[in-house]
Amino acid sequence: MTDPSKLSVAVVCSSNMNRSMEAHNFLAKKGFNVRSYGTGERVKLPGIAFDKPNVYEFGTSYEDIYRDLEAKDKEFYTQNGLLHMLDRNRRIKKCPERFQETKEQFDIIVTVEERVYDLVVLHMESLTSVDNRPVHVINVDVVDNAEDALMGAFLITDMINLMAKSMDLDNDIDEMIQEFEERRNRVILHSVLFY
């Protein structure tokens, strides 16, 4: 499989704001058929006070969130990078989407933390298997800040590029993950589930 657009990929974090969107951006630029999601109940972004996050429903547009934060405190949200992140996001897609609400099917689902991985696996296991199409759920831990999200996007893109070269992903994936873990000194979680 040398055409990256043939591989259907989802990247999932908690709020579909930072880590999943950075990887979505990278993968899309490389020509991959990619979507991104969050698994949380709502979208949560840091607020001015630690105990008062900004909370939005999934489906609220990045544009509306941008304008809301800009109206609340433009200087603060510019300094902490949220307005920059939302500006990037609104150029990629309209709004954050919740993974548990999608009907799309993927070849690979990449999560960025173990808690999100567990939620994705739990959701997939709760679905009634329709056509026994395999999906590989893979976790690559990425810390939730701008710098680590950028590094995580490089790692995820590197891993997906490797997998896109496979003619038989279902057969090759364990070996590829092992090679990636050794080369990148990372522990990768992997499950095979079915649609």
Side-chain angles (χ1 to χ4, degrees):
M1 189 184 293
T2 50
D3 181 0
S5 66
K6 298 258 189 287
L7 198 61
S8 179
V9 181
V11 187
V12 187
C13 67
S14 188
S15 288
N16 197 199
M17 278 288 164
N18 183 28
R19 297 166 293 174
S20 63
M21 288 301 288
E22 190 72 74
H24 183 151
N25 194 27
F26 269 66
L27 289 165
K29 285 179 178 172
K30 294 283 186 188
F32 285 98
N33 174 13
V34 61
R35 299 290 305 268
S36 58
Y37 301 93
T39 55
E41 289 298 317
R42 288 182 189 76
V43 174
K44 289 183 185 166
L45 293 172
I48 291 175
F50 181 75
D51 60 341
K52 291 192 175 100
N54 291 287
V55 180
Y56 305 93
E57 295 298 322
F58 277 96
T60 306
S61 74
Y62 291 117
E63 180 68 33
D64 288 348
I65 297 170
Y66 183 98
R67 288 191 180 162
D68 183 50
L69 296 182
E70 189 178 43
K72 285 179 178 174
D73 191 333
K74 184 176 182 177
E75 188 179 333
F76 177 79
Y77 291 114
T78 298
Q79 270 187 326
N80 76 0
L82 284 183
L83 292 181
H84 175 73
M85 179 183 71
L86 286 160
D87 185 48
R88 173 203 63 205
N89 293 356
R90 66 187 177 180
R91 285 184 266 124
I92 297 168
K93 67 181 197 176
K94 184 178 189 286
C95 62
E97 298 171 87
R98 192 162 185 262
F99 177 75
Q100 294 90 328
E101 294 168 8
T102 187
K103 301 284 184 248
E104 282 201 51
Q105 294 187 0
F106 302 95
D107 298 308
I108 300 171
I109 300 170
V110 181
T111 62
V112 294
E113 67 179 88
E114 196 167 340
R115 183 177 54 87
V116 172
Y117 174 85
D118 291 343
L119 288 169
V120 167
V121 169
L122 195 65
H123 174 70
M124 294 298 299
E125 288 175 341
S126 76
L127 300 175
T128 305
S129 184
V130 178
D131 53 12
N132 275 340
R133 177 183 171 194
V135 56
H136 297 277
V137 183
I138 298 167
N139 186 70
V140 178
D141 278 324
V142 178
V143 176
D144 194 3
N145 65 49
E147 192 176 323
D148 284 303
L150 190 61
M151 291 308 300
F154 276 113
L155 281 173
I156 290 166
T157 302
D158 183 34
M159 183 178 65
I160 297 299
N161 268 326
L162 181 69
M163 292 175 182
K165 293 176 182 154
S166 172
M167 292 298 181
D168 185 357
L169 186 61
D170 297 334
N171 243 355
D172 299 342
I173 195 163
D174 288 332
E175 203 174 297
M176 290 177 152
I177 288 173
Q178 188 176 349
E179 183 209 312
F180 184 82
E181 285 178 317
E182 289 168 6
R183 189 164 43 93
R184 294 294 196 164
N185 197 25
R186 292 281 180 139
V187 175
I188 307 295
L189 300 175
H190 172 237
S191 294
V192 182
L193 300 164
F194 297 88
Y195 284 107

